[in-house]
């Protein structure tokens, strides 16, 4: 509801027109009308009356006199008053909720203003049409007409209106939570205001919006309050009551959102006092609604109801159907909280009927939501379900409109920029045509030469990077291959086989030798490829762990946990990625442990990622490093370093985003109880790379290899 109220404030502000006869007294206008004869120009006085009543927020009277003015202007054949009549009908019809009539009237007014080349009024028509489209949810048209008005202001160097449109766009982007574009126009506004002799109130206005940006986007409340207070002080020094009231309202909104309700109430009441003094009925009604909202948050429903009714009475007098529909929903919602369900139903149904008449989806959605809450509270679940379905449908419609908003905005910008460029080209075409013809040939030669040079440099640079990358890859693969087939492992494995032979245990010797041969073949085969099926990596690990358990006489146990959602034959990973981590776990964690160790290898799928974990219950990294220093070991494990370098190279080459993290594990007493190494591989990106590479030969080799497995 609060967002809807902000929307209404914004729309009403964009429809304000500075009337030509504000200083006229209503009685003098009526007297002048009576003194006129039938043959005299009555249309001007009727338009004066229409504008007078419009600025008193009496839209029904404004509409009536605008219609009278139109009738007389047509009889008088007065194009100036015809344009003015259509404009006044457009304003009052909009407030009364007759959106189609409002649009049609503004567009007819534009035709007359164009014939008279009255750019100021055309500008106002564009702004008002944008506001009408905004009320009907046609965001695609909203930005189109705002950018039309901006273009017109730029053509005529109308600085006041340029900064005015910037302000409107900032407000719109803030409302739509499009903070990037909001900041863009804040910066443009600040840059535009430099050195321009524009009305001074624009400066605190932009600071006010900047404070809003810091509060809503950066969440820097301190900076936001400094900017807002700076604007407030400037408004106070100039006795700008409208600016002061707007700032108080903004502060009330900020403190309401932060649930600092007493401060919010204080600022809303200050703003209300100013609006009462200036008899700004629409702003008064909105502030009564905001105060009612604070009472609702305080659960003071009686006072909330009183304030909502005060707002409602003001809106009935002004005839603003949009605000009346909002009041129906607010009163109904308050009655729900007070458990006066029959009264709530009456007001909510009235609000829904008016919202449907206006065709405004936001009001319809709010009515459906409140009716759903009402019937749910009454345990009338059948009715609640009906309104829940209606609510879901309208929310989908609103979401679709929101998704189309940015596309519509971009299209609007593109069309306006395209038209502007065409106008510039047409104006300069005659004067620069000969120059273009003379320079075209030289330009083509120059561009061609530059293009060829850039391509050659790019090719050379690319080849250099590829060679450098290939060299780095080869070095890492050699290091990794040496780390997997390190002399210690090979020597100890052969020693173990020899021991079995000397013991005349030929079965164990043959088993060990067969496993060792398979492992060597797998390592050599896998090392030729950049990516292998997960199944191959798992098989290599199992053979390696089997040999290590035989070698160390069951010094440790190991287990694999594979996510059932993973098909190891279809999932690919870089080869030799896990084995160095397992080797580290054995050599530095398990072998220095007194009792039997455990190694756990887990592979499972997450949200578009593959997660690999190697966990051991060894002595931990800190103690392992200490033992290594005490023994003055010349052998330093490079497995982790090489693996990290390889991951960095893969990430750089394929933009994979692989991450390796090491965690030191501790028991409840804080004593080291092992190490956990976690590798995260974005499976979606890896799948894309695999799909777009030529893996035909690899697949054939892999298939042949699997068919020959022992």
């Amino acid at each position: 509801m609060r967002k809807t109220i902000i929307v209404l404030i914004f729309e009403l502000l964009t429809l304000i027109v500075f009337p030509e006869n504000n200083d006229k007294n209503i009685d003098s206008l009526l007297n002048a009308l009576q003194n006129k004869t039938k043959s005299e120009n009555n249309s001007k006085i009727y338009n004066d009356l229409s504008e007078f009543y419009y600025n008193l927020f009496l839209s029904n009277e404004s509409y009536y006199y605008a219609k009278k003015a139109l009738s007389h202007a047509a009889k008088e054949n007065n194009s100036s008053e015809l344009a003015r009549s259509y404009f006044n009908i457009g304003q009052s019809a909009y407030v009364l909720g007759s959106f189609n009539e409002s649009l049609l009237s503004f567009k007819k007014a534009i035709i007359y203003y164009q014939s008279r080349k009255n750019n100021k009024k055309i500008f106002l028509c564009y702004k008002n049409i944008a506001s009408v489209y905004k009320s009907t949810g046609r965001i695609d048209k909203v930005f189109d007409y705002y950018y039309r008005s901006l273009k017109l202001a730029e053509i005529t160097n109308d600085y006041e209106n340029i900064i005015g449109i910037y302000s409107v766009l900032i407000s719109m982007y803030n409302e739509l939570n499009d903070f990037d574009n909001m900041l863009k126009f804040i910066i443009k506004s600040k840059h535009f205001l430099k050195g321009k002799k524009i009305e001074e109130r624009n400066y605190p206005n932009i600071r006010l919006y900047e404070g809003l940006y810091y509060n809503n986007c950066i969440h820097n409340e301190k900076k936001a309050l400094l900017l807002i207070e700076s604007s407030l002080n400037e408004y106070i020094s100039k006795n700008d009551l409208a600016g002061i009231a707007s700032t108080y309202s903004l502060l009330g909104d900020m403190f309401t959102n932060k649930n600092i309700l007493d401060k919010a109430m204080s600022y809303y009441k200050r703003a209300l006092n100013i609006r009462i003094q200036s008899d700004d009925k629409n702003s008064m009604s909105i502030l009564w609604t905001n105060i009612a909202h604070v009472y609702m948050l305080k659960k003071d429903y009686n006072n909330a109801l009183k304030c909502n009714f005060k707002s409602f009475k003001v809106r009935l007098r002004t005839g603003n159907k949009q605000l009346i529909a909002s009041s129906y929903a607010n009163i109904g919602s308050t009655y729900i909280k007070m458990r006066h369900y029959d009264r709530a139903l009456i007001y909510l149904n009235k609000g829904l009927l008016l919202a449907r008449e206006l065709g405004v989806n936001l009001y319809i959605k709010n009515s459906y939501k409140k009716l759903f809450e009402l019937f749910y509270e009454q345990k009338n679940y059948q009715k609640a379900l009906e309104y829940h379905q209606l609510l879901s449908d309208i929310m989908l419609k609103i979401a679709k409109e929101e998704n189309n908003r940015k596309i519509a905005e971009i299209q609007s910008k593109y069309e306006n920029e395209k038209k502007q460029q065409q106008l510039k080209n047409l104006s300069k075409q005659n004067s620069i045509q000969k120059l273009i013809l003379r320079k075209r040939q030289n330009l083509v030669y120059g561009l061609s030469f530059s293009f060829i040079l850039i391509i050659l440099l790019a090719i050379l640079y690319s080849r250099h990077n590829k060679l450098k990358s290939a060299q780095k890859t080869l070095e890492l693969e050699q290091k990794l291959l040496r780390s997997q087939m390190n002399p210690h492992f090979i020597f100890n494995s052969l020693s173990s086989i020899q021991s079995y032979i000397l013991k005349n245990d030929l079965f164990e010797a043959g088993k060990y030798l067969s496993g060792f041969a398979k492992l060597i073949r797998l390592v050599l085969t896998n090392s030729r490829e950049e990516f292998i099926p997960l199944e191959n990596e798992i098989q290599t690990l199992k053979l390696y762990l089997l040999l290590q358990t035989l070698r160390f006489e069951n010094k440790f146990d190991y287990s694999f946990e594979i996510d059932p959602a993973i098909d190891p034959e279809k999932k690919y990973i870089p080869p030799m990625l896990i084995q160095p981590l397992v080797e580290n776990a054995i050599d530095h964690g398990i072998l220095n442990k007194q009792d039997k160790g455990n190694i756990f290898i887990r592979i499972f799928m997450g949200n578009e990622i593959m997660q690999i974990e190697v966990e051991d219950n060894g002595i931990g990294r800190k103690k392992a490093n200490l033992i290594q220093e005490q023994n003055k070991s010349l052998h330093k494990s490079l497995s982790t370093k090489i693996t990290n370098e390889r991951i960095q190279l893969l990430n750089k080459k394929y933009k994979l985003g692989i991450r390796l993290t090491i965690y030191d594990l501790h028991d409840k007493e804080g004593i080291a109880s092992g190490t956990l190494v976690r590798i995260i591989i974005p499976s979606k990106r890896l799948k894309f790379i695999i799909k777009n590479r030529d893996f035909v030969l690899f697949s054939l080799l892999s298939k042949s290899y699997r068919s020959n497995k022992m």
Side-chain angles (χ1 to χ4, degrees):
M1 182 58 65
R2 294 292 309 288
K3 186 174 181 181
T4 305
I5 298 301
I6 293 170
V7 172
L8 287 169
I9 294 173
F10 164 72
E11 291 172 348
L12 289 166
L13 286 172
T14 59
L15 280 169
I16 289 175
V17 180
F18 299 103
E20 299 168 5
N21 300 287
N22 270 343
D23 57 338
K24 291 190 176 182
N25 184 277
I26 187 68
D27 294 328
S28 65
L29 286 171
L30 292 171
N31 289 333
L33 188 62
Q34 289 174 357
N35 294 330
K36 289 270 186 181
T37 65
K38 289 184 179 179
S39 61
E40 290 180 302
N41 184 358
N42 291 314
S43 58
K44 183 178 185 305
I45 297 177
Y46 281 126
N47 273 322
D48 289 345
L49 284 165
S50 175
E51 289 170 1
F52 188 89
Y53 280 115
Y54 181 78
N55 286 285
L56 290 176
F57 303 100
L58 298 174
S59 302
N60 284 308
E61 290 81 355
S62 175
Y63 180 78
Y64 170 78
Y65 283 110
K67 280 287 192 180
K68 294 279 284 184
L70 179 64
S71 175
H72 281 272
K75 291 175 185 177
E76 297 159 6
N77 197 24
N78 187 333
S79 62
S80 175
E81 293 303 322
L82 275 170
R84 194 173 162 207
S85 301
Y86 280 124
F87 187 88
N88 291 337
I89 291 169
Q91 287 189 126
S92 52
Y94 169 76
V95 176
L96 293 171
S98 301
F99 298 132
N100 289 331
E101 184 179 11
S102 178
L103 283 173
L104 187 61
S105 299
F106 281 128
K107 288 179 181 179
K108 285 182 178 179
I110 288 172
I111 294 170
Y112 284 103
Y113 286 134
Q114 283 175 336
S115 67
R116 302 176 67 83
K117 297 183 180 179
N118 189 336
N119 287 329
K120 182 178 179 181
K121 286 292 187 180
I122 295 170
F123 170 85
L124 290 171
C125 286
Y126 284 155
K127 281 182 65 180
N128 293 346
I129 289 171
S131 294
V132 179
Y133 276 127
K134 192 168 187 296
S135 289
T136 58
R138 291 293 305 276
I139 302 298
D140 55 327
K141 293 285 188 181
V142 173
F143 282 102
D144 178 28
Y145 277 92
Y146 276 133
Y147 280 107
R148 285 192 197 191
S149 62
L150 179 60
K151 175 188 167 184
L152 190 60
E154 288 172 342
I155 289 172
T156 57
N157 290 323
D158 187 343
Y159 295 149
E160 289 286 349
N161 281 326
I162 290 171
I163 196 65
I165 289 294
Y166 283 166
S167 298
V168 170
L169 289 170
I170 291 167
S171 178
M172 272 200 68
Y173 285 126
N174 175 62
E175 176 196 329
L176 295 167
N177 294 327
D178 188 347
F179 297 120
D180 289 339
N181 272 317
M182 182 186 180
L183 180 60
K184 171 186 167 184
F185 277 97
I186 288 172
I187 293 168
K188 284 185 78 169
S189 299
K190 291 171 75 174
H191 179 73
F192 181 80
L193 286 169
K194 286 181 180 178
K196 300 273 193 321
K197 293 182 179 180
I198 305 175
E199 187 181 351
E200 290 185 359
R201 70 169 293 157
N202 287 302
Y203 293 89
N205 277 352
I206 298 305
R207 278 204 297 278
L208 201 62
Y209 286 126
E210 193 174 5
L212 207 60
Y213 173 79
Y214 272 96
N215 183 69
N216 294 344
C217 182
I218 302 180
H219 305 295
N220 186 339
E221 183 183 345
K222 186 177 179 181
K223 178 72 172 178
L225 286 173
L226 282 173
L227 288 164
I228 293 167
E229 286 173 3
S230 170
S231 298
L232 179 61
N233 291 334
E234 204 162 331
Y235 287 137
I236 292 170
S237 69
K238 295 169 184 172
N239 198 29
D240 184 343
L241 296 179
I244 295 168
S246 296
T247 309
Y248 284 154
S249 295
L250 174 61
L251 288 165
D253 292 342
M254 285 179 59
F255 286 115
T256 301
N257 293 334
K258 296 180 184 301
N259 206 35
I260 306 174
L261 302 180
D262 290 335
K263 272 195 173 185
M265 182 73 79
S266 172
Y267 280 114
Y268 283 142
K269 286 183 176 179
R270 291 185 204 177
L272 180 62
N273 288 333
I274 295 172
R275 296 302 187 186
I276 290 171
Q277 290 173 26
S278 59
D279 197 31
D280 185 344
K281 292 182 174 59
N282 280 319
S283 296
M284 285 162 54
S285 72
I286 290 166
L287 285 161
W288 279 121
T289 301
N290 289 347
I291 292 168
H293 178 67
V294 175
Y295 277 127
M296 288 286 282
L297 293 174
K298 287 186 166 189
K299 299 184 179 179
D300 185 349
Y301 303 127
N302 287 321
N303 275 321
L305 187 65
K306 289 177 185 177
C307 292
N308 276 324
F309 268 113
K310 286 180 180 180
S311 175
F312 181 56
K313 288 175 183 177
V314 173
R315 291 170 178 183
L316 284 175
R317 289 200 298 273
T318 63
N320 190 317
K321 289 185 178 180
Q322 298 174 79
L323 293 176
I324 292 169
S326 176
S327 282
Y328 280 136
N330 292 339
I331 293 168
S333 181
T334 309
Y335 274 133
I336 291 174
K337 293 293 184 182
M338 298 173 75
R339 299 175 184 257
H340 296 327
Y341 299 127
D342 292 339
R343 295 179 189 176
L345 182 60
I346 292 169
Y347 281 95
L348 291 177
N349 278 331
K350 286 182 179 180
L352 178 58
L353 285 172
L354 188 52
R356 284 173 172 168
E357 179 189 331
L358 294 170
V360 180
N361 288 332
L362 283 173
Y363 291 112
I364 296 170
K365 183 196 84 169
N366 193 49
S367 296
Y368 286 156
K369 183 180 177 183
K370 296 302 178 185
L371 284 164
F372 163 73
E373 291 173 2
L374 170 64
F375 287 117
Y376 191 84
E377 283 281 329
Q378 291 180 302
K379 298 185 178 178
N380 187 344
Y381 298 122
Q382 183 178 352
K383 278 284 186 183
L385 183 61
E386 288 176 15
Y387 280 104
H388 187 274
Q389 184 59 50
L390 290 169
L391 177 63
S392 299
D393 293 342
I394 199 76
M395 286 178 71
L396 284 172
K397 188 175 180 181
I398 292 170
K400 186 177 179 182
E401 291 168 355
E402 175 64 18
N403 289 334
N404 291 333
R405 178 186 68 79
K406 283 199 173 182
I407 295 172
E409 181 191 355
I410 293 167
Q411 287 175 338
S412 177
K413 283 182 181 179
Y414 170 73
E415 290 299 328
N416 280 290
E417 288 174 3
K418 184 179 177 182
K419 288 175 184 177
Q420 190 174 0
Q421 189 61 41
Q422 286 172 347
L423 288 171
K424 287 180 181 179
N425 290 339
L426 286 171
S427 65
K428 293 179 180 179
Q429 188 173 3
N430 291 331
S431 59
I432 63 173
Q433 190 64 35
K434 290 182 180 180
L435 183 62
I436 291 173
L437 290 171
R438 279 200 308 267
K439 291 186 176 181
R440 185 172 292 169
Q441 190 174 11
N442 292 334
L443 181 63
V444 169
Y445 289 148
L447 288 173
S448 299
F449 178 77
S450 300
F451 184 68
I452 292 168
L453 183 62
I454 289 168
I455 289 174
L456 287 172
L457 289 172
I459 291 169
L460 290 171
Y461 182 74
S462 176
R463 285 193 64 188
H464 174 73
N465 280 346
K466 284 181 180 178
L467 289 171
K468 189 176 178 181
S469 179
Q471 183 181 0
K472 182 70 174 176
T473 303
L474 185 61
E475 289 175 359
L476 281 174
E477 286 176 354
Q478 289 174 349
K479 288 179 182 178
L480 192 61
L481 188 61
R482 286 197 299 271
S483 74
Q484 283 199 293
M485 300 178 61
N486 67 67
H488 293 279
F489 173 70
I490 294 171
F491 177 77
N492 289 328
S493 296
L494 293 175
S495 296
S496 298
I497 295 167
Q498 183 183 33
S499 175
Y500 284 125
I501 293 170
L502 292 174
K503 291 178 183 178
N504 206 23
D505 191 347
L506 298 180
F507 176 77
E508 288 297 327
K511 181 180 175 183
Y512 203 128
L513 185 60
S514 174
F516 182 72
K518 283 183 186 178
L519 177 62
I520 297 300
R521 184 173 64 177
L522 274 172
V523 169
L524 292 173
T525 302
N526 293 342
S527 65
R528 298 171 189 166
E529 305 296 338
E530 284 192 285
F531 301 101
I532 63 169
L534 179 61
E535 180 188 20
N536 291 12
E537 184 78 356
I538 292 171
Q539 188 179 9
T540 304
L541 282 173
K542 286 181 177 179
L543 281 171
Y544 176 76
L545 285 164
L546 176 63
L547 292 177
Q548 291 289 51
T549 52
L550 290 172
R551 173 186 164 195
F552 294 116
E553 298 178 349
N554 295 316
K555 172 68 176 176
F556 63 89
D557 290 329
Y558 62 89
S559 66
F560 284 80
E561 182 183 341
I562 312 296
D563 191 334
I566 295 175
D567 185 348
E569 292 188 356
K570 293 182 180 179
K571 292 292 181 183
Y572 285 79
I573 65 168
M576 301 182 288
L577 194 63
I578 309 173
Q579 186 273 338
L581 308 176
V582 174
E583 180 186 354
N584 266 1
I586 296 170
D587 291 348
H588 302 290
I590 301 297
L591 295 185
N592 292 314
K593 185 179 173 71
Q594 296 297 324
D595 52 350
K596 192 172 186 178
N598 285 291
I599 295 176
F600 307 96
I601 299 168
R602 295 183 286 268
I603 305 172
F604 51 88
M605 296 299 295
N607 184 16
E608 295 188 348
I609 61 165
M610 182 191 296
Q611 185 165 306
I612 300 168
E613 293 182 351
V614 177
E615 181 182 344
D616 67 74
N617 65 341
I619 61 173
R621 290 191 295 169
K622 187 175 180 181
K623 194 171 181 180
N625 290 336
L626 187 62
I627 291 171
Q628 194 173 17
E629 288 176 7
Q630 289 174 348
N631 294 335
K632 296 182 180 179
S633 174
L634 296 174
H635 171 68
K636 292 184 179 179
S637 174
L638 298 174
S639 300
T640 304
K641 182 181 177 183
I642 294 169
T643 302
N644 269 317
E645 288 179 2
R646 187 153 169 261
I647 286 171
Q648 289 174 10
L649 190 63
L650 286 166
N651 288 342
K652 182 179 178 182
K653 186 174 182 180
Y654 296 109
K655 295 182 171 50
L656 278 173
I658 301 175
R659 302 192 305 274
L660 183 146
T661 314
I662 303 175
Y663 303 92
D664 294 313
L665 305 178
H666 300 84
D667 58 20
K668 292 180 180 179
E669 286 75 28
I671 299 171
S673 61
T675 308
L676 170 65
V677 184
R678 180 177 293 148
I679 301 175
I680 304 294
I681 304 175
S683 59
K684 186 175 181 180
R685 174 64 183 165
L686 184 57
K687 185 179 179 181
F688 173 80
I689 292 166
I690 299 297
K691 186 177 179 181
N692 288 276
R693 283 171 53 91
D694 185 11
F695 279 94
V696 176
L697 179 60
F698 171 78
S699 300
L700 291 172
L701 289 171
S702 181
K703 184 177 179 181
S704 173
Y705 168 72
R706 287 197 296 270
S707 65
N708 293 320
K709 282 193 295 185
M710 296 180 64

